[in-house]
Amino acid sequence: MGFVLLNIVMYSTIVLRFPEEKYSKWYAFLVLGIEIVFYFYASSIYPRLSPTGQRILQDVRVLLLVVLIGSLQIYYGPFTPMWVILSYKLATKSIMNYLTLTIAFIHNVLIIMGTTLSLYISYRVHPQNPYQTKSEVDTGKVITELEIDVIIVVFLLQVSLCIVSMVSLSLIQENVRKVTDQQVEIFRQKLMNESKAKFISEMSHELRNPIHGILGAVQLLRHESSKAMKSSYENIEEFNQNLFITNRAALELVNDIYDNSNILLHIFSSSLQLSKLNLGKVKLKIQNVNILHLMESMISVFFTLAVDKGICLQSFFNFENVPLFFQTDYAKLSQILMNLVSNGIKYTSKGHVQLRCDICSDEELEHWRINKKKILEEMEKEENITDNQIQFLKFECIDTGIGMAEENLKEIFKPFSTFDTSSNGNLESTFDKYYLQYGSKYSPKRNISRLLSERNGLGLSISKSLCTAMKGKIFVQSKVGKGTVITVIIPLKQGSPPESQSVQYTDNSLFESCDPYEKSNNILEKITHLKPKKGKIKEIYIIENEESFSETLSSYLRMILGNDIFIYDVREPGQINNNKLMDYAIIIYNEELHEKVKELKLTSKTYLIPIVQRGLSRKYSELSYITKPFRVMDLIDLLERILICVSPIGLGNQLEGISNTSSTENIASSESGVDNNNNENVKCALVVDDNSVNRKIMQKMLELIGYYHIDVAANGLECFQKYKENKDKYEVILMDLLMPLMDGSEACKEIRNFEKITNRKHCPIIAVTANVWESKESLLDKGFDSVIYKPILIKPLKQEIDRVKEFTKIKSEID
C-alpha cells in the first residue's frame, strides 16, 4: 500500500506542476489507475502461478510500465520529467521484486532504453525549444545539442542507478543466501537431532535388554557362588577363609562387571539428554551419590586398558576433607569423569594417570576466576539451600602423557576438535597408534579397547556442556612432553548417608544404587575405631616401582593409621636395612618379589602383603593381598584384619583364625537381601517376555525372593490363555510390553476385561519394560498396577512387588 501511495504522490506532483494548460492532466491519472489496477491484479494471481508464469508476469509488468510512462513522456513533452518516475522504478524494482541478477539486469535495460527512446521521441514531437540557437533554427535542426546533452545525462543517470541497484541486489542476494542457508542448516540440524534422539531412544531400548541380562546374571552369580561355597564347608569360619583365598579374584571381577554394567546403564539412560546438549535442554536427576564409590568405579572401567599400556591408573579421594555423599546427577558426573580418564589414557604411554578429588579452597576458586558468591546465590534461589550445604568439589585428572601445545588448548573443548600429535614432537605414544599397532595381535579384548580409542573430539565438549549444566567449570593445563592436568570444579550440595543398610527406592526410579559402602557409610568413623588398634606397628615398607601407586598408598595409609607411622618407599627389597627392621613391621611389595622379600631377616612379627593386579589369581593363599588399583574399603578391611590380632603372628600362620570377609564378599552374600530359609506358603507368579534370557533371569530372581512356582509365557496371547486356565493362581504377573502376536498392553486390557466379566479378584500386573519413555501414569491408565524399568535389581524388584501386593490387598478390602 505504501508503494501505491508513493506512486500517486509522484504522479500528482509532476503532472500538476509541469504540463502546459493545453494538455489534459486526466490522461496521467488514467495511466496511474491502469498501473495500480494491474499491480493489485498481478499481486493476487502471482502466488498461484508457476515459476514460468511468474517470470512472464514480471516481464509483462515491466513492458507495460515502460509503455505507459513512455507514452506520458511523449504526450506531455520533454519538459515534463516523466523519466524521473522511470528512474525511480529503475532504482527500486530491482531491490524490491527480484532475486535473480540476470532478470533484473534485462528489465533495467528495458527501462533505460524505454526512457531514452521516449525522451528522444518527445523532443521530435515537441520541437518548440526556447533555448534553440539562431543557427540551429536556420539549419532546421529538430533536436539541438542541448537536448542531446539532456538525453545523455538522463541516460548516464539511469545507468548509474542501474549499477547501484545491481550491486545492492547482489548484496541482498548474498544476505538472503546466508539467511536461507542458516535456516536450512537449522532445519537440517533439527531433523538430525530428531532422528538422533529417535535412534538413541531405540538403541537405548535395545541395549537395555542385554544389560538387564548381564546385571541379572551377575546378581545371580554372586548369590549362587556364595551359596555354593557355604554349602562346601562345615563351619562359617572355614568358609570365610577359603572364600577369601580361592574366590577373591573372581569376586573382584564379578563386582567390576556389576559396577561397570550399572555405569553403562546410567549412560544409556541419559543418552537422550546428552543428545540435547547443544539445545540446552539437559535436565539433572539429583540423587544421593557416593563420590568415592563413583571414582573407584571409573577406575575399574579403564584399569585393563591401563595395564595393557603399562601405565599406572589409580584414584585418590581425600576423605579427611571431602564428605562421602553429595546430591548430584550420577550419570552426568560419571560421564564427565569417564571422558577425563579416557583422554588421559589415550595420550599416555608411560607413567601414570590419576583421578583425584578434594575440596576446592577459596584461593583456588579465585585463581580459576570462579565467582563463588554468584553461584551460591543462583543455587540458593533455584534449590532453596544454604551456603553451608554447598561444597565446591574439585576433580583432577593428572597424566604424564604427551601433553598439548598452548595453541591446541583453545580448541580442545570445541565439538569434533582433535589435535595433531605430531606437533608435540616425535613421541610415539598416542593411544591410537598403540592400539592400531598392537591391538589386534594378542587379544580379542583389544576390539573393545580400539572402540574406546576412537578420537571423535566429542568427549571434552560433552564434559564442558555437562559441567556448564551443573554450574561447574572445566580447565586444562598442559605442557608438551610433560603431561596434562584437567580440572573440573562443580558446586554440589552435601548429601547424607542412607539411614539404613537397605537403599530406599522411589516408585518411579529407573536406576537403583548398588553401593558397596552402604554397610560402612562413614569411613571416618570406622577409621576412628581402627587407629587405636594399630598397637606396636610403627613402620611400613612399600616396595613398588610405580611412584604414583606408592604415593597414593602412602597417603591413604597415613590417613587411616595416622602420621606417626613411618612409611618407607623403596624400589628393591635389598634397599631395606635388615639391621633397622623393626618388629611389627608391614612390608607391601609386588607379588613377583616374594622370594626376595623372604630372604630378609623377617621375624614372626612381620606382616607381608603382596600386591597383585585386580582380578588375577593369588600365588600365596596364606597371605592377604592388596590389589592394583586398590579400593579404599578393601584396604581398610585388610588393615582391620591385621590390627585385630591379639598375639604376634608369623609367616606360616599369618591371619590364621581371623575372618577374611570383606566388603567384597559381604556384597556377594547379601546382594539378594532375602532369607532363602523362609519357606512360607508356595507363591506363584507369571513371567511374560519374548526374550528367553530375560525370562530365565526373571525366574531366578523371583525364586530368590520366595516364588517357588513360576510360569512363563512368550507373548501376551499365551499369557492371557494361562491366566484364564489358572484361576486365582498368580500372585503377580510381570509383563513385558513389546511382544509379538499380542503386546503387553493388549494382554493387560484383556485380563482386566475378563476379571470384570467373571468377577475374578484383581491380579496385580507389573509392566516390565526397557522403554524409558513409557511413563508410569500412561501405563496405570492401561490397567497396570506399576512399572519396573529394565535392567532390574533384586532388592527393588522385591520391594515393588510387595508394595503392589499390599496396595491391592488394601484396595480389595475397601471394595
Side-chain angles (χ1 to χ4, degrees), residues 610-657:
I611 302 172
V612 69
Q613 291 291 345
R614 187 173 179 82
L616 296 184
S617 59
R618 280 71 164 158
K619 294 181 180 179
Y620 308 102
S621 59
E622 74 276 8
L623 301 177
S624 294
Y625 279 73
I626 288 179
T627 60
K628 185 193 294 185
F630 63 88
R631 299 197 176 199
V632 175
M633 288 307 302
D634 292 340
L635 178 61
I636 292 175
D637 288 336
L638 173 60
L639 295 174
E640 186 176 30
R641 290 197 301 272
I642 292 176
L643 297 179
I644 62 175
C645 297
V646 179
S647 59
I649 54 177
L651 295 175
N653 60 348
Q654 186 172 352
L655 300 183
E656 183 178 358

Side-chain angles (χ1 to χ4, degrees), residues 747-763:
C748 181
K749 182 180 179 181
E750 293 296 328
I751 291 174
R752 296 306 181 213
N753 291 335
F754 190 77
E755 287 177 346
K756 293 179 182 179
I757 296 173
T758 60
N759 292 322
R760 281 194 183 183
K761 70 177 184 179
H762 182 85
C763 179

Side-chain angles (χ1 to χ4, degrees), residues 730-743:
Y730 304 117
E731 294 190 11
V732 66
I733 298 176
L734 300 180
M735 181 90 70
D736 189 25
L737 293 182
L738 300 179
M739 296 180 293
L741 298 181
M742 180 185 289
D743 62 28

Side-chain angles (χ1 to χ4, degrees), residues 10 46 212 218 273 315 356 367 384 392 405 590 701 787 792:
M10 290 182 62
Y46 187 84
H212 169 62
V218 171
Q273 291 194 7
S315 64
R356 302 178 65 89
H367 168 75
N384 193 24
F392 283 80
N590 195 296
M701 287 185 173
V787 58
I792 300 170

Side-chain angles (χ1 to χ4, degrees), residues 51 75 130 211 398 510 522 683 735 784 795:
Y75 176 72
I211 295 175
I398 306 169
L510 299 184
N522 195 329
K683 300 178 182 179
M735 181 90 70
F784 290 97
K795 281 185 180 179

Side-chain angles (χ1 to χ4, degrees), residues 225-226 229-230 233 235-248 251-252 255 516 519-520 526 530 618 621 623-625 632-644 654-670:
S225 62
S226 177
M229 291 293 292
K230 284 184 178 180
Y233 300 98
N235 55 69
I236 189 65
E237 289 78 10
E238 184 183 2
F239 159 72
N240 285 331
Q241 184 175 0
N242 282 276
L243 176 63
F244 177 79
I245 294 172
T246 62
N247 212 30
R248 179 64 182 268
L251 284 173
E252 287 174 352
N255 286 318
K519 292 184 177 294
S520 55
K526 189 165 187 178
L530 189 62
R618 280 71 164 158
S621 59
L623 301 177
S624 294
Y625 279 73
V632 175
M633 288 307 302
D634 292 340
L635 178 61
I636 292 175
D637 288 336
L638 173 60
L639 295 174
E640 186 176 30
R641 290 197 301 272
I642 292 176
L643 297 179
I644 62 175
Q654 186 172 352
L655 300 183
E656 183 178 358
I658 305 300
S659 174
N660 286 310
T661 56
S662 67
S663 60
T664 304
E665 288 78 17
N666 287 334
I667 300 167
S669 60
S670 63

